[in-house]
Amino acid sequence: MNEDFSGYHIPNVTSNYTSLLDVFETSTMGNYVATVEEISGLRQFEEWYKPIHGYSAAIVCVFGVIANILNIVVLTRKNMQTSTNVILTGLAISDGATMAAYFPWALWMYIIYGTGVSAKRDTLECAHFQMWYAIFSVIVHSISIWLTVTLAVFRFIFIRFPRRGTRYCNIQRAKLAVVIVVVVVIIVCIPNSVNYEIYNGIERVVVEGPHVGNDSVYWVGQKKNTDFQIFVNKFNFFVQALLVKLLPCVLLTVFSFLLVKTMRDAEKRRKKLLNKTPVSDGESGATSSGGGNHKKNRKSNRSNRTTTMLLVVVLLFILTETPQGVLYVLSGLINGFFMNVYTPLGDLLDIVALINNGINFVLYCTMSKQFRDTFFNIFIRNSSGDRRKTTTTYITTQQTHATKDSDV
C-alpha cells in the first residue's frame, strides 16, 4: 500500500504487509464503492506509468535543482533586492530542497532496484532514509505552499494599497515573513515528524534466479500501538488536510481572484486619468505633464507584468495542490478511496508537483525582463570578459534600479 506524506507519496513498498493507514480506516465516514472497470483502469495506468516515473522524476529533479539554484543566484543580486524577490528566494530554496531530496529516492526506489519489494531494495538503511524523507519532504513542501500564499498576500497589498504596501511590505518584513513561515510550518509538522517508526521482521518469499528463500525487509509505518499514537495519527491527518492542503488552496484562490479584480480596477482608473490629461500639441509633442505620465505608464506596465507573472506562479500552485488536497481529504473520509483512487494516481501527482517546483525559472525568464537581463549579465555577458563592463553596469543599473517596490 502506498503511503502519502502530504505532497509526495511513498512508492508501493508495502503491498504484502499490514495496512499502514489504520488512521484512515478508523476515521472514515463512508464507503467508496468502485466498479471493476474503475479499479482496473487506474491500476493499468499505474502499472504503465510506474516504470517511467523514476526516470522522468530524476530528470525533472536535476533540471529543477539547477533552475532553483539559478533563481537564488539571480534573485539575491544587489540590484534585485525587493520584498517580492526575498519571498521568491525562499520559495526557490524550499523547492530546490524538495527536489534534491526526491532525486535519491527516485534512483533507489524506481531505477536501481526497480519498483517491486525486495530485500536488496528495502534495507534498513533505505527505511531510515524513507523516514527522514517522510519528515523532511512534508516540511519543505509545506513551506513552499505557505510562501506562495505569503507572496499572494504581499502582492495584493502592494497593488490594492500602494502607499501602505511600500511602508508595511518592505524587504525587512518580507524576511521576517519568510522566517515566520518556516518556524510555524516546522511546529505544525511536529505531529507528522513523530508519527513514524521502522518495521521489520516480515518474512517474504524472494526469488532470485534458481534461489528461493525468505528474507526480511524494512519499511516505515505509522505508530499505532497505543491509544495516544492513534490519536496522534488522526490529529496529524486533520492538521495536514486542513492547514497544509485545503486552507492554502482556498487562500490562494481567493487572493488570485482579488489580484485579478484589483488589476482590472487599477487599469480602469489609469485609463480614466489618461483621458482627463491634456494632450500634447502636434508640433512640440510635449506638455508639462507628458513626461510624468509616460513614466507613470511605464511603471504601471512593469507592475502589471510582475503581477501577471506572480499570478501564473500562484495559479500553477492551485492547479497542482488542489486536486491532491481533495484526493487526500477524501482518502481520510471515505473508506476504500485511498487504495482504489489515490494510490494508483500517486506517481502522477508526484511528477506534477515536481514539475511545478522546477518551472519558476522558465516563468521568470519569459515574463520578467529584469530577471532576464540580470541573468544575462551574470552568466553570459560577464563570461565574455570586462570589455563591456562599464556598459553592462550602466545598463543593469538603468534597467533594474527601481527596486523600492515589489517588482521582479
Side-chain angles (χ1 to χ4, degrees):
M1 179 181 295
N2 292 22
E3 172 68 40
D4 174 73
F5 292 113
S6 304
Y8 292 93
H9 89 126
I10 295 301
N12 192 6
V13 299
T14 58
S15 58
N16 296 313
Y17 310 139
T18 304
S19 171
L20 300 180
L21 293 174
D22 292 336
V23 59
F24 287 150
E25 296 173 1
T26 58
S27 63
T28 53
M29 299 173 59
N31 292 306
Y32 175 74
V33 181
T35 64
V36 176
E37 289 77 10
E38 287 177 321
I39 296 176
S40 62
L42 290 174
R43 291 298 180 189
Q44 287 176 4
F45 171 80
E46 180 186 21
E47 293 175 2
W48 170 80
Y49 177 68
K50 187 174 287 292
I52 304 173
H53 175 72
Y55 296 94
S56 58
I59 294 172
V60 171
C61 285
V62 171
F63 168 81
V65 170
I66 296 174
N68 280 295
I69 290 175
L70 295 177
N71 288 340
I72 295 169
V73 172
V74 175
L75 293 173
T76 53
R77 301 294 287 186
K78 185 176 180 179
N79 62 305
M80 295 288 287
Q81 292 296 305
T82 69
S83 58
T84 294
N85 290 351
V86 168
I87 301 174
L88 291 179
T89 300
L91 183 62
I93 294 173
S94 57
D95 284 345
T98 301
M99 305 184 83
Y102 198 95
F103 179 73
W105 177 261
L107 290 181
W108 187 271
M109 301 300 293
Y110 287 82
I111 298 176
I112 298 177
Y113 294 107
T115 59
V117 178
S118 68
K120 285 186 176 181
R121 190 190 73 165
D122 302 299
T123 62
L124 180 60
E125 292 76 14
C126 177
H128 280 297
F129 175 80
Q130 179 178 336
M131 178 177 288
W132 171 84
Y133 172 77
I135 297 170
F136 180 78
S137 63
V138 170
I139 293 175
V140 291
H141 188 63
S142 301
I143 289 173
S144 293
I145 295 174
W146 279 103
L147 284 180
T148 306
V149 175
T150 304
L151 182 67
V153 173
F154 265 62
R155 194 61 194 179
F156 171 72
I157 295 175
F158 262 110
I159 65 174
R160 181 65 180 85
F161 311 102
R163 293 181 180 178
R164 294 181 183 178
T166 303
R167 185 188 312 165
Y168 295 115
C169 297
N170 52 39
I171 293 177
Q172 290 72 25
R173 297 198 177 185
K175 293 179 180 179
L176 178 62
V178 172
V179 172
I180 291 175
V181 167
V182 172
V183 173
V184 172
V185 166
I186 292 175
I187 294 174
V188 170
C189 290
I190 288 177
N192 182 75
S193 301
V194 301
N195 196 35
Y196 304 105
E197 63 181 347
I198 296 176
Y199 291 85
N200 69 318
I202 301 299
E203 297 295 320
R204 182 176 184 273
V205 176
V206 178
V207 179
E208 297 180 358
H211 172 71
V212 178
N214 293 330
D215 266 317
S216 295
V217 292
Y218 299 83
W219 74 98
V220 174
Q222 296 171 335
K223 296 178 180 178
K224 53 185 182 298
N225 299 320
T226 65
D227 292 338
F228 177 74
Q229 290 176 348
I230 294 175
F231 168 77
V232 171
N233 277 329
K234 294 181 179 180
F235 179 74
N236 179 58
F237 165 73
F238 287 107
V239 167
Q240 297 297 320
L242 296 178
L243 298 183
V244 178
K245 297 294 185 181
L246 292 184
L247 182 59
C249 292
V250 171
L251 291 177
L252 287 174
T253 302
V254 170
F255 278 104
S256 297
F257 173 80
L258 293 176
L259 279 170
V260 173
K261 184 178 184 303
T262 304
M263 286 179 63
R264 290 181 177 179
D265 293 342
E267 183 65 17
K268 289 180 182 179
R269 289 195 299 269
R270 188 183 71 83
K271 289 182 179 180
K272 188 175 181 180
L273 289 174
L274 287 177
N275 290 335
K276 293 182 180 180
T277 302
V279 182
S280 59
D281 60 73
E283 294 181 2
S284 64
T287 66
S288 59
S289 61
N293 287 333
H294 182 63
K295 291 180 180 179
K296 289 180 179 179
N297 287 337
R298 285 194 303 176
K299 184 176 180 179
S300 176
N301 291 335
R302 185 177 69 247
S303 179
N304 287 339
R305 287 195 301 269
T306 298
T307 304
T308 301
M309 184 193 72
L310 299 180
L311 262 176
V312 173
V313 173
V314 171
L315 290 175
L316 285 177
F317 255 92
I318 294 175
L319 293 176
T320 302
E321 298 300 327
T322 300
Q324 188 174 141
V326 172
L327 291 176
Y328 180 83
V329 172
L330 292 178
S331 297
L333 298 178
I334 303 176
N335 189 29
F337 190 90
F338 184 86
M339 282 297 296
N340 295 331
V341 178
Y342 191 98
T343 297
L345 296 176
D347 289 332
L348 178 63
L349 295 174
D350 278 4
I351 194 65
V352 171
L354 289 172
I355 292 173
N356 181 58
N357 287 342
I359 202 173
N360 285 348
F361 175 77
V362 177
L363 295 179
Y364 301 159
C365 284
T366 55
M367 302 186 69
S368 173
K369 187 176 186 297
Q370 186 179 7
F371 183 94
R372 192 166 55 247
D373 289 342
T374 304
F375 175 80
F376 286 143
N377 288 336
I378 296 173
F379 295 102
I380 298 179
R381 292 175 182 173
N382 286 347
S383 64
S384 63
D386 295 333
R387 51 201 176 112
R388 298 169 61 183
K389 183 176 180 180
T390 303
T391 304
T392 298
T393 303
Y394 173 77
I395 293 174
T396 302
T397 302
Q398 294 298 316
Q399 291 178 338
T400 63
H401 181 66
T403 58
K404 293 183 180 180
D405 56 17
S406 65
D407 291 340
V408 178

